[in-house]
Amino acid sequence: MKKYTGKGVYGAIAIGKVSLFQRQDIQVKRLHIENEEAEIERFEEAKEKAVSQLKEIYEKALVEVGETNAQIFEVHMMMLEDDDYNDAIREIISNQNMNAEYAVATTADNFATMFAAMDDSYMQARAADVKDISNRVIACLNKEEERLTQSDEKMIVCADDLAPSETVSLDKDMVLAFVTAHGSSNSHTAILARNMNIPAVIGLGDVFLKEIEAGSLAIVDGFTGDVIVNPEEEILKEYEKKQKEDVEKKELLLKLKGKENVTLDGTKINVYANIGSADNIGAVLLNDAGGIGLFRSEFLYLENMDYPTEEQQFLVYKKVLESMATKKVVIRTLDIGADKQVDYFKLDKEENPALGLRAIRICLTRPEVFKTQLRALYRASIYGNLAIMFPMITSVSEVEQILGICESVKKELKTEGFEYSDNIELGIMIETPAAAIISDKLAPLVDFFSVGTNDLTQYTLACDRQNPNTERFCDTHHEAILRLIEISAKNAHANGAWIGICGELAADTTLTETFLRMGIDELSVSPTFVLKLRDTIRNIDLGKVEI
Ligand code: PEP
Ligand code: MG
């Protein structure tokens, strides 16, 4: 038995077998083989297995993310059957007497280089696909290191770190818990784990990664950050009990469904949910959120191999709005850059990406991308109660430009005969100190503010949210942050705007009373936190004088 301690980012307990997350760039050995025919047969078998895995994934994606998004797996199947690709692999095996893994990896490199050099951006994007399908074949060849998608058992996924795009691409139904050697609690991977209701522990260190073995039994305690590998019988029993109690406690919270978010003295507040995909709607409804306070639309871009089209986006927004009926849905426009990198945007590598071209800065630099999203949003607006929110604002002129672009999009749509709602609220995120400080100037321009405490904390305290070394200097309750929120709340209300908080701090129940006293109108949290927050609110008495 061995115990490691990291940082728990979603409180729940998982018990199960460990699966090591396999990166795209698998280390492949170059080996001479004696029997080329047998090696070609090995390759053919692995390829067949890869195709049947892709078929399964395609079927699942069809149901979960719709046909447009599922198509990529059809393309992958076709690529695996491509004659040139197959001939190149067979030739390396038979003419150079090399092992199948090496032949597949070399062919993947050659094809990827060829695709990357093409002028057509669609073909360039196929470089990543050929690597992906080849890695799948290599994983099938190396049966001991099967990809996670092959397992029919739910596993605890262990990785050095997981990029948001990697997290989204995991088969969520097969993940019991996330455990990473690195990473920080405000990273998007941690946020995704919370959104997905999956126990997660991060920052377990390199030793953990070195020692952990695939298939070992482990306990993940997302409350304490403990990960226990090969637990003794007694410890296992103790944790099984703890897990049962936790499930029961969460079930008890379900009794609060249908109840109001109201304090003992009668103050009401909206409790909404944060989502990253239309797939999360089930959790939003299940946990009885009053609306969606933050739909991180960038995950639509992260999941795609190319710019999602207006039609593709329209269908997703429409689905979310229709599912929420009359409840408010705040969709945040594209917020990529920094830790959320999307290859096909071809953004320059930056020294300080968090301070670089990200979020609204990309939208204002590439108005065609921004306009496509806005057109999709406005068209979808007639299907529900839409509010649009813009991230990473630092100045009045940015907001003026945004409002100008919105007006021109509306005009365009009208001329083309498209309908859109007249009641769309427009708001901005307060996630830079600049925005909070000039919130008196920004508030008259918008209908609402939503405080992004994750970025507001990183920018106010100069603590990179991706860097685990700065976590100890990153006091999320720092007075500077609370003052910035308070200033923003005052300025919002003085100008007839409402204010919410959608960063992770909204779920910190030790601050709920403070936020209520500031007059915060809405708190938006991961769906699984909605009822816990409701419980906290219902036990607060604002009538009592604070000591
Ligand atoms: C935030 O910064 O608090 C926020 C909600 O946005 P994100 O975490 O997606 O950057
Ligand atoms: Mg942010």
Side-chain angles (χ1 to χ4, degrees):
M1 181 173 105
K2 184 121 196 218
K3 181 166 144 186
Y4 305 86
T5 303
K7 199 162 178 161
V9 292
Y10 176 72
I13 290 170
I15 302 171
K17 286 203 188 128
V18 162
S19 167
L20 303 180
F21 179 73
Q22 211 175 320
R23 271 270 135 57
Q24 300 288 329
D25 46 332
I26 307 161
Q27 293 297 316
V28 166
K29 286 198 185 103
R30 184 176 186 268
L31 303 170
H32 269 276
I33 43 108
E34 299 292 331
N35 186 342
E36 306 100 63
E37 267 176 36
E39 198 63 8
I40 289 181
E41 211 172 301
R42 259 188 85 225
F43 160 66
E44 299 292 353
E45 271 172 23
K47 190 184 76 180
E48 247 170 60
K49 202 167 171 189
V51 171
S52 82
Q53 281 176 13
L54 283 167
K55 253 188 210 140
E56 266 177 44
I57 298 174
Y58 172 73
E59 300 292 339
K60 185 170 177 289
L62 259 187
V63 179
E64 288 184 0
V65 289
E67 194 173 350
T68 327
N69 290 309
Q71 269 167 6
I72 186 62
F73 302 112
E74 253 189 337
V75 174
H76 280 193
M77 282 187 264
M78 274 156 54
M79 286 174 95
L80 267 180
E81 301 293 2
D82 178 75
D83 284 344
D84 291 341
Y85 175 77
N86 280 282
D87 289 348
I89 293 168
R90 287 190 204 108
E91 212 169 280
I92 296 174
I93 297 174
S94 46
N95 294 350
Q96 299 177 32
N97 291 75
M98 286 296 144
N99 56 324
E101 287 87 341
Y102 175 80
V104 174
T106 308
T107 306
D109 281 345
N110 292 343
F111 275 58
T113 313
M114 183 179 77
F115 285 138
M118 290 183 178
D119 284 338
D120 181 346
S121 65
Y122 177 82
M123 291 314 288
Q124 285 170 357
R126 301 287 74 81
D129 292 330
V130 78
K131 287 227 166 193
D132 194 12
I133 57 160
S134 304
N135 284 344
R136 185 172 290 283
V137 177
I138 294 169
C140 291
L141 280 162
N142 187 353
K143 293 191 184 99
E144 281 161 71
E145 284 184 79
E146 290 183 331
R147 289 177 79 112
L148 292 163
T149 44
Q150 268 184 278
S151 164
D152 50 8
E153 195 180 341
K154 277 190 153 195
M155 297 285 225
I156 294 169
V157 178
C158 297
D160 54 349
D161 198 0
L162 287 167
S165 52
E166 288 169 333
T167 316
V168 221
S169 67
L170 285 176
D171 183 351
K172 285 137 201 122
D173 293 341
M174 302 315 294
V175 179
L176 270 182
F178 289 124
V179 175
T180 65
H182 306 116
S184 64
S185 43
N186 257 348
S187 67
H188 285 94
T189 300
I191 294 171
L192 278 171
R194 277 178 219 128
N195 273 346
M196 286 150 61
N197 198 6
I198 289 176
V201 173
I202 55 158
L204 286 156
D206 287 322
V207 179
F208 166 76
L209 207 60
K210 230 192 227 145
E211 295 178 347
I212 190 75
E213 283 175 11
S216 323
L217 181 70
I219 298 169
V220 178
D221 185 337
F223 296 101
T224 60
D226 287 339
V227 174
I228 303 163
V229 183
N230 298 324
E232 284 158 9
E233 198 54 36
E234 215 169 289
I235 302 281
L236 189 62
K237 277 203 184 115
E238 190 189 305
Y239 272 92
E240 278 168 351
K241 189 167 164 250
K242 212 169 159 188
Q243 188 182 39
K244 197 166 158 254
E245 283 166 2
D246 176 46
V247 171
E248 281 166 4
K249 221 191 242 158
K250 284 179 178 141
E251 274 168 8
L252 215 75
L253 282 178
L254 291 178
K255 294 220 164 85
L256 289 178
K257 277 174 82 166
K259 301 248 164 79
E260 278 188 314
N261 307 303
V262 61
T263 59
L264 293 169
D265 58 292
T267 308
K268 286 186 190 158
I269 182 165
N270 288 320
V271 177
Y272 291 172
N274 295 345
I275 61 166
S277 145
D279 295 352
N280 304 139
I281 299 279
V284 174
L285 299 172
L286 190 76
N287 290 286
D288 196 28
I292 289 171
L294 168 64
F295 176 12
R296 289 183 164 94
S297 70
E298 57 274 12
F299 285 102
L300 241 162
Y301 293 73
L302 280 164
E303 284 164 355
N304 246 39
M305 306 301 288
D306 207 341
Y307 294 97
T309 62
E310 178 183 322
E311 202 57 27
Q312 235 175 315
Q313 295 191 55
F314 163 73
L315 291 173
V316 174
Y317 304 147
K318 175 174 177 272
K319 181 175 168 192
V320 175
L321 286 161
E322 281 179 337
S323 317
M324 294 300 291
T326 54
K327 290 182 176 168
K328 197 185 293 295
V329 175
V330 181
I331 301 186
R332 174 176 76 185
T333 56
L334 177 65
D335 181 11
I336 60 155
D339 62 322
K340 287 176 275 191
Q341 290 294 330
V342 183
D343 287 350
Y344 57 83
F345 270 77
K346 299 209 171 5
L347 298 170
D348 287 340
K349 222 170 168 40
E350 295 175 313
E351 283 282 323
N352 292 304
L355 303 181
L357 200 63
R358 60 167 290 206
I360 202 67
R361 297 174 180 179
I362 293 178
C363 292
L364 293 176
T365 325
R366 299 195 187 172
E368 69 293 349
V369 175
F370 192 31
K371 275 187 162 181
T372 303
Q373 180 168 35
L374 288 172
R375 281 178 61 96
L377 284 167
Y378 274 98
R379 282 179 51 203
S381 64
I382 53 171
Y383 297 96
N385 183 359
L386 173 69
I388 306 176
M389 171 160 86
F390 305 98
M392 195 51 194
I393 298 297
T394 56
S395 71
V396 167
S397 88
E398 282 164 355
V399 180
E400 286 170 346
Q401 281 179 67
I402 293 166
L403 298 180
I405 296 173
C406 288
E407 281 309 309
S408 74
V409 163
K410 284 203 283 189
K411 225 180 189 168
E412 238 175 65
L413 290 172
K414 203 171 204 164
T415 321
E416 292 169 32
F418 284 111
E419 274 185 83
Y420 55 84
S421 159
D422 287 332
N423 289 319
I424 307 171
E425 286 189 328
L426 297 182
I428 56 167
M429 291 193 69
I430 301 288
E431 49 183 355
T432 64
I437 293 165
I438 60 160
S439 51
D440 57 329
K441 300 249 169 65
L442 296 170
L445 303 175
V446 294
D447 299 303
F448 68 96
F449 286 161
S450 184
V451 186
T453 50
N454 310 333
D455 278 315
L456 186 62
T457 306
Q458 95 163 328
Y459 295 130
T460 306
L461 303 183
C463 284
D464 179 356
R465 65 193 271 193
Q466 291 299 111
N467 183 349
N469 300 330
T470 62
E471 276 207 40
R472 57 188 273 250
F473 302 102
C474 181
D475 170 13
T476 51
H477 291 204
H478 197 293
E479 197 182 339
I481 296 158
L482 298 178
R483 280 201 209 174
L484 290 173
I485 300 175
E486 194 167 23
I487 293 169
S488 308
K490 271 200 189 116
N491 288 326
H493 291 153
N495 289 282
W498 60 268
I499 180 165
I501 300 177
C502 64
E504 294 301 291
L505 215 55
D508 184 336
T509 47
T510 63
L511 284 176
T512 312
E513 183 167 342
T514 308
F515 292 147
L516 285 165
R517 288 190 188 278
M518 284 180 189
I520 297 296
D521 303 291
E522 175 246 20
L523 291 167
S524 192
V525 295
S526 294
T528 45
F529 272 103
V530 168
L531 294 172
K532 184 166 190 291
L533 192 54
R534 178 169 299 168
D535 189 38
T536 305
I537 292 166
R538 291 173 67 86
N539 284 297
I540 288 175
D541 188 355
L542 294 177
K544 276 192 204 153
V545 184
E546 236 180 333
I547 302 163

